[in-house]
Amino acid sequence: RHTRYPLVTGVQTCALPISGIVLLGSEVKSLRTGQVQLADAYARIVDGEAWLEGVHIAPYQFAVGVGAHDPDRARKLLLHAAEIRRFRERIMKDRLTLVPLSIILRDGKVKVELALAQGRTKGDKRNAIAERDVKREIQREIAQRNRR
């Protein structure tokens, strides 16, 4: 699964690791079927540990009772302490956010591709909305001319 952040500019993916993630068995099975949403996901660093929050992994349909999982729980990212320190320094210094770009299944293990990103300002958001509206109007005009 991939995510695109419409409200994020300047995504910096250079030299960023692909992290492991701590999951339950039913979460892995749901991921294999593609039942994951990264739309509002972000990572936080708390007490020297990286946690992925805002990821929704749908419950596995055959997991019941003890085997089931909470779809919106925080999940721990597996990173080296030096990487976590480096991320914390960049986040604090440049006011960036650590976001997941995609979830990858590699050699039977689930990995998360991370990036440092900076949110858009209000002006940037307004410009993006105006550009989107102009494109939509152009598409409408083209569609009406093709119907004639």
Side-chain angles (χ1 to χ4, degrees), residues 115-127:
L116 287 170
Q118 185 173 12
R120 287 184 178 167
T121 63
K122 274 191 177 180
D124 290 340
K125 290 178 189 177
R126 289 180 184 140
N127 290 340

Side-chain angles (χ1 to χ4, degrees), residues 7-137:
L7 299 178
V8 174
T9 60
V11 175
Q12 304 167 359
T13 57
C14 55
L16 293 180
I18 294 179
S19 168
I21 184 170
V22 177
L23 296 173
L24 300 174
S26 61
E27 291 174 322
V28 175
K29 290 183 179 190
S30 288
L31 282 172
R32 287 182 188 277
T33 61
Q35 297 179 342
V36 61
Q37 294 176 358
L38 294 175
D40 297 325
Y42 63 96
R44 288 184 12 185
I45 298 176
V46 179
D47 296 331
E49 295 179 338
W51 293 87
L52 188 62
E53 298 189 11
V55 174
H56 179 85
I57 300 176
Y60 185 60
Q61 66 184 24
F62 299 112
V64 185
V66 178
H69 65 273
D70 177 19
D72 297 317
R73 73 180 183 90
R75 293 160 179 92
K76 186 174 180 180
L77 293 174
L78 303 174
L79 293 165
H80 291 283
E83 291 173 328
I84 293 173
R85 269 194 310 275
R86 194 172 62 232
F87 279 139
R88 184 184 309 136
E89 289 170 5
R90 290 283 310 274
I91 288 168
M92 299 300 260
K93 178 183 154 198
D94 299 332
R95 297 191 49 93
L96 299 173
T97 303
L98 189 59
V99 294
L101 293 180
S102 64
I103 293 181
I104 307 163
L105 288 167
R106 181 185 290 170
D107 299 327
K109 294 178 175 58
V110 178
K111 304 290 182 177
V112 179
E113 185 180 13
L114 300 170
L116 287 170
Q118 185 173 12
R120 287 184 178 167
T121 63
K122 274 191 177 180
D124 290 340
K125 290 178 189 177
R126 289 180 184 140
N127 290 340
I129 291 169
E131 289 174 14
R132 186 181 64 215
D133 290 344
V134 168
K135 287 181 184 178
R136 191 175 297 143
E137 286 296 323

